[in-house]
Short mmCIF file of all heavy atoms in Angstrom, two decimals:
data_model
loop_
_atom_site.label_atom_id
_atom_site.label_comp_id
_atom_site.label_asym_id
_atom_site.label_seq_id
_atom_site.Cartn_x
_atom_site.Cartn_y
_atom_site.Cartn_z
N GLU A 15 86.33 83.52 116.80
CA GLU A 15 87.36 84.34 116.16
C GLU A 15 87.46 84.01 114.68
O GLU A 15 87.64 84.91 113.85
CB GLU A 15 88.71 84.12 116.84
CG GLU A 15 88.78 84.73 118.23
CD GLU A 15 90.10 84.46 118.92
OE1 GLU A 15 90.99 83.82 118.31
OE2 GLU A 15 90.24 84.89 120.08
N LEU A 16 87.33 82.73 114.34
CA LEU A 16 87.36 82.34 112.93
C LEU A 16 86.19 82.95 112.18
O LEU A 16 86.35 83.46 111.06
CB LEU A 16 87.33 80.81 112.81
CG LEU A 16 87.30 80.25 111.39
CD1 LEU A 16 88.57 80.63 110.64
CD2 LEU A 16 87.13 78.75 111.42
N THR A 17 85.02 82.94 112.80
CA THR A 17 83.84 83.54 112.17
C THR A 17 84.06 85.03 111.95
O THR A 17 83.76 85.57 110.88
CB THR A 17 82.60 83.30 113.05
OG1 THR A 17 82.43 81.90 113.25
CG2 THR A 17 81.35 83.86 112.40
N GLN A 18 84.60 85.71 112.96
CA GLN A 18 84.87 87.15 112.82
C GLN A 18 85.90 87.39 111.74
O GLN A 18 85.76 88.32 110.92
CB GLN A 18 85.35 87.73 114.15
CG GLN A 18 84.27 87.79 115.21
CD GLN A 18 84.81 88.23 116.57
OE1 GLN A 18 86.01 88.30 116.77
NE2 GLN A 18 83.90 88.50 117.49
N ALA A 19 86.95 86.56 111.72
CA ALA A 19 87.99 86.73 110.70
C ALA A 19 87.42 86.51 109.30
O ALA A 19 87.78 87.23 108.36
CB ALA A 19 89.14 85.76 110.96
N GLN A 20 86.52 85.54 109.17
CA GLN A 20 85.91 85.30 107.87
C GLN A 20 85.04 86.47 107.45
O GLN A 20 85.02 86.85 106.28
CB GLN A 20 85.07 84.00 107.90
CG GLN A 20 85.92 82.75 107.95
CD GLN A 20 85.09 81.49 108.16
OE1 GLN A 20 83.96 81.57 108.63
NE2 GLN A 20 85.66 80.34 107.83
N GLU A 21 84.33 87.08 108.40
CA GLU A 21 83.51 88.25 108.08
C GLU A 21 84.40 89.42 107.65
O GLU A 21 84.10 90.12 106.69
CB GLU A 21 82.66 88.65 109.29
CG GLU A 21 81.53 87.68 109.59
CD GLU A 21 80.78 88.02 110.86
OE1 GLU A 21 81.08 89.06 111.48
OE2 GLU A 21 79.89 87.24 111.24
N VAL A 22 85.50 89.61 108.37
CA VAL A 22 86.44 90.68 108.01
C VAL A 22 87.02 90.40 106.62
O VAL A 22 87.16 91.31 105.80
CB VAL A 22 87.56 90.81 109.07
CG1 VAL A 22 88.68 91.69 108.59
CG2 VAL A 22 86.98 91.34 110.38
N LEU A 23 87.34 89.13 106.36
CA LEU A 23 87.88 88.76 105.06
C LEU A 23 86.88 89.04 103.95
O LEU A 23 87.24 89.58 102.90
CB LEU A 23 88.27 87.27 105.06
CG LEU A 23 88.81 86.72 103.75
CD1 LEU A 23 90.13 87.40 103.39
CD2 LEU A 23 89.00 85.23 103.84
N ARG A 24 85.61 88.70 104.19
CA ARG A 24 84.59 88.98 103.19
C ARG A 24 84.49 90.48 102.93
O ARG A 24 84.38 90.92 101.78
CB ARG A 24 83.24 88.42 103.64
CG ARG A 24 83.11 86.94 103.43
CD ARG A 24 81.68 86.45 103.72
NE ARG A 24 81.76 85.13 104.30
CZ ARG A 24 81.49 84.82 105.56
NH1 ARG A 24 81.09 85.74 106.39
NH2 ARG A 24 81.60 83.59 106.00
N GLY A 25 84.52 91.27 104.02
CA GLY A 25 84.46 92.73 103.86
C GLY A 25 85.66 93.26 103.10
O GLY A 25 85.53 94.12 102.22
N THR A 26 86.83 92.72 103.42
CA THR A 26 88.06 93.14 102.73
C THR A 26 88.02 92.75 101.26
O THR A 26 88.44 93.52 100.40
CB THR A 26 89.29 92.51 103.43
OG1 THR A 26 89.26 92.85 104.81
CG2 THR A 26 90.57 93.00 102.81
N GLU A 27 87.51 91.55 100.98
CA GLU A 27 87.39 91.13 99.59
C GLU A 27 86.43 92.04 98.82
O GLU A 27 86.68 92.38 97.67
CB GLU A 27 86.92 89.67 99.51
CG GLU A 27 87.98 88.66 99.89
CD GLU A 27 87.46 87.24 99.95
OE1 GLU A 27 86.21 87.06 99.97
OE2 GLU A 27 88.27 86.32 99.98
N ALA A 28 85.34 92.43 99.49
CA ALA A 28 84.39 93.34 98.84
C ALA A 28 85.06 94.69 98.56
O ALA A 28 84.88 95.27 97.48
CB ALA A 28 83.15 93.52 99.71
N GLN A 29 85.84 95.18 99.54
CA GLN A 29 86.54 96.45 99.34
C GLN A 29 87.57 96.32 98.21
O GLN A 29 87.73 97.24 97.40
CB GLN A 29 87.23 96.89 100.62
CG GLN A 29 86.29 97.39 101.69
CD GLN A 29 87.02 97.74 102.98
OE1 GLN A 29 88.19 97.40 103.17
NE2 GLN A 29 86.33 98.42 103.87
N ALA A 30 88.26 95.18 98.18
CA ALA A 30 89.26 94.97 97.12
C ALA A 30 88.58 94.95 95.75
O ALA A 30 89.10 95.52 94.79
CB ALA A 30 90.02 93.67 97.36
N ALA A 31 87.42 94.30 95.68
CA ALA A 31 86.70 94.27 94.40
C ALA A 31 86.28 95.68 93.99
O ALA A 31 86.40 96.06 92.82
CB ALA A 31 85.47 93.36 94.52
N THR A 32 85.81 96.46 94.96
CA THR A 32 85.43 97.85 94.68
C THR A 32 86.64 98.65 94.22
O THR A 32 86.56 99.42 93.25
CB THR A 32 84.81 98.49 95.93
OG1 THR A 32 83.69 97.70 96.34
CG2 THR A 32 84.35 99.91 95.65
N CYS A 33 87.76 98.46 94.91
CA CYS A 33 88.99 99.18 94.52
C CYS A 33 89.44 98.78 93.12
O CYS A 33 89.84 99.64 92.33
CB CYS A 33 90.10 98.90 95.54
SG CYS A 33 89.85 99.72 97.12
N ASN A 34 89.38 97.48 92.82
CA ASN A 34 89.77 97.03 91.48
C ASN A 34 88.87 97.63 90.41
O ASN A 34 89.34 98.04 89.35
CB ASN A 34 89.73 95.50 91.41
CG ASN A 34 90.86 94.86 92.18
OD1 ASN A 34 91.88 95.47 92.44
ND2 ASN A 34 90.66 93.61 92.57
N GLN A 35 87.59 97.69 90.70
CA GLN A 35 86.66 98.29 89.74
C GLN A 35 86.96 99.78 89.57
O GLN A 35 86.95 100.31 88.46
CB GLN A 35 85.22 98.08 90.23
CG GLN A 35 84.18 98.53 89.24
CD GLN A 35 82.78 98.25 89.73
OE1 GLN A 35 82.57 97.85 90.87
NE2 GLN A 35 81.81 98.47 88.88
N THR A 36 87.26 100.46 90.69
CA THR A 36 87.60 101.88 90.62
C THR A 36 88.88 102.09 89.82
O THR A 36 88.98 103.03 89.01
CB THR A 36 87.77 102.45 92.04
OG1 THR A 36 86.57 102.21 92.79
CG2 THR A 36 88.08 103.93 92.01
N VAL A 37 89.87 101.21 90.03
CA VAL A 37 91.12 101.31 89.28
C VAL A 37 90.86 101.15 87.78
O VAL A 37 91.39 101.91 86.95
CB VAL A 37 92.14 100.27 89.78
CG1 VAL A 37 93.30 100.11 88.82
CG2 VAL A 37 92.66 100.66 91.16
N GLU A 38 90.04 100.17 87.44
CA GLU A 38 89.73 99.97 86.02
C GLU A 38 89.01 101.19 85.44
O GLU A 38 89.32 101.63 84.33
CB GLU A 38 88.87 98.71 85.84
CG GLU A 38 89.60 97.41 86.12
CD GLU A 38 90.82 97.22 85.25
OE1 GLU A 38 90.75 97.52 84.03
OE2 GLU A 38 91.86 96.79 85.78
N THR A 39 88.08 101.73 86.21
CA THR A 39 87.37 102.93 85.75
C THR A 39 88.34 104.10 85.57
O THR A 39 88.26 104.83 84.58
CB THR A 39 86.27 103.31 86.77
OG1 THR A 39 85.40 102.19 86.94
CG2 THR A 39 85.47 104.50 86.30
N LEU A 40 89.25 104.25 86.53
CA LEU A 40 90.23 105.34 86.43
C LEU A 40 91.18 105.13 85.25
O LEU A 40 91.57 106.10 84.59
CB LEU A 40 91.02 105.45 87.74
CG LEU A 40 90.24 106.00 88.94
CD1 LEU A 40 91.09 105.94 90.20
CD2 LEU A 40 89.78 107.41 88.68
N LYS A 41 91.55 103.87 84.97
CA LYS A 41 92.41 103.61 83.82
C LYS A 41 91.71 104.03 82.53
O LYS A 41 92.31 104.67 81.67
CB LYS A 41 92.77 102.12 83.75
CG LYS A 41 93.84 101.69 84.71
CD LYS A 41 94.15 100.21 84.55
CE LYS A 41 95.20 99.74 85.50
NZ LYS A 41 95.46 98.29 85.37
N ILE A 42 90.44 103.66 82.43
CA ILE A 42 89.68 104.03 81.23
C ILE A 42 89.57 105.54 81.13
O ILE A 42 89.78 106.13 80.06
CB ILE A 42 88.28 103.37 81.26
CG1 ILE A 42 88.42 101.86 81.11
CG2 ILE A 42 87.38 103.95 80.19
CD1 ILE A 42 87.14 101.09 81.37
N SER A 43 89.28 106.18 82.27
CA SER A 43 89.16 107.64 82.29
C SER A 43 90.48 108.30 81.94
O SER A 43 90.51 109.29 81.20
CB SER A 43 88.68 108.09 83.68
OG SER A 43 88.65 109.48 83.77
N LEU A 44 91.58 107.73 82.44
CA LEU A 44 92.90 108.29 82.15
C LEU A 44 93.23 108.17 80.66
O LEU A 44 93.75 109.11 80.05
CB LEU A 44 93.97 107.58 82.98
CG LEU A 44 95.40 108.06 82.84
CD1 LEU A 44 95.51 109.52 83.26
CD2 LEU A 44 96.34 107.20 83.65
N LYS A 45 92.88 107.02 80.08
CA LYS A 45 93.11 106.86 78.64
C LYS A 45 92.30 107.90 77.85
O LYS A 45 92.81 108.50 76.91
CB LYS A 45 92.71 105.45 78.19
CG LYS A 45 93.69 104.39 78.60
CD LYS A 45 93.24 103.01 78.15
CE LYS A 45 94.20 101.93 78.62
NZ LYS A 45 93.75 100.58 78.23
N GLU A 46 91.04 108.10 78.26
CA GLU A 46 90.20 109.08 77.58
C GLU A 46 90.78 110.48 77.76
O GLU A 46 90.80 111.27 76.82
CB GLU A 46 88.78 109.01 78.12
CG GLU A 46 88.03 107.75 77.74
CD GLU A 46 86.69 107.62 78.43
OE1 GLU A 46 86.36 108.46 79.29
OE2 GLU A 46 85.96 106.66 78.12
N GLU A 47 91.25 110.77 78.99
CA GLU A 47 91.82 112.10 79.23
C GLU A 47 93.12 112.29 78.47
O GLU A 47 93.41 113.39 77.99
CB GLU A 47 92.04 112.30 80.73
CG GLU A 47 90.76 112.53 81.51
CD GLU A 47 91.00 112.76 82.99
OE1 GLU A 47 92.16 112.98 83.40
OE2 GLU A 47 90.03 112.73 83.74
N LYS A 48 93.92 111.21 78.33
CA LYS A 48 95.15 111.31 77.55
C LYS A 48 94.81 111.62 76.10
O LYS A 48 95.45 112.46 75.47
CB LYS A 48 95.95 110.01 77.63
CG LYS A 48 96.79 109.88 78.86
CD LYS A 48 97.64 108.61 78.78
CE LYS A 48 98.53 108.46 79.98
NZ LYS A 48 99.34 107.23 79.92
N ALA A 49 93.81 110.91 75.60
CA ALA A 49 93.40 111.16 74.21
C ALA A 49 92.89 112.59 74.06
O ALA A 49 93.26 113.30 73.11
CB ALA A 49 92.32 110.16 73.79
N ALA A 50 92.05 113.01 75.02
CA ALA A 50 91.55 114.38 74.98
C ALA A 50 92.69 115.37 75.17
O ALA A 50 92.73 116.42 74.51
CB ALA A 50 90.48 114.59 76.05
N GLY A 51 93.62 115.06 76.06
CA GLY A 51 94.78 115.93 76.28
C GLY A 51 95.64 116.03 75.03
O GLY A 51 96.15 117.11 74.70
N HIS A 52 95.80 114.90 74.34
CA HIS A 52 96.57 114.91 73.10
C HIS A 52 95.87 115.79 72.06
O HIS A 52 96.51 116.60 71.38
CB HIS A 52 96.73 113.48 72.58
CG HIS A 52 97.62 113.37 71.39
ND1 HIS A 52 98.97 113.64 71.44
CD2 HIS A 52 97.35 113.04 70.09
CE1 HIS A 52 99.49 113.48 70.24
NE2 HIS A 52 98.52 113.11 69.40
#
């Protein structure tokens, strides 16, 4: 069970890293769109 939990944790950490990267990309895109919108 510990091994499975660690695998799930690794997968969740990978998803969190992907989400964080997506958030950063969206923030940059939003800033660019705000500038373009302005």
Side-chain angles (χ1 to χ4, degrees):
E15 289 178 2
L16 177 63
T17 303
Q18 290 174 349
Q20 287 173 340
E21 289 175 5
V22 168
L23 178 64
R24 281 188 215 110
T26 305
E27 286 174 346
Q29 287 177 347
T32 303
C33 287
N34 288 338
Q35 186 177 8
T36 304
V37 166
E38 291 301 318
T39 304
L40 289 175
K41 282 181 181 178
I42 292 170
S43 176
L44 182 61
K45 286 179 183 178
E46 291 172 355
E47 286 181 13
K48 278 185 178 179
H52 186 66

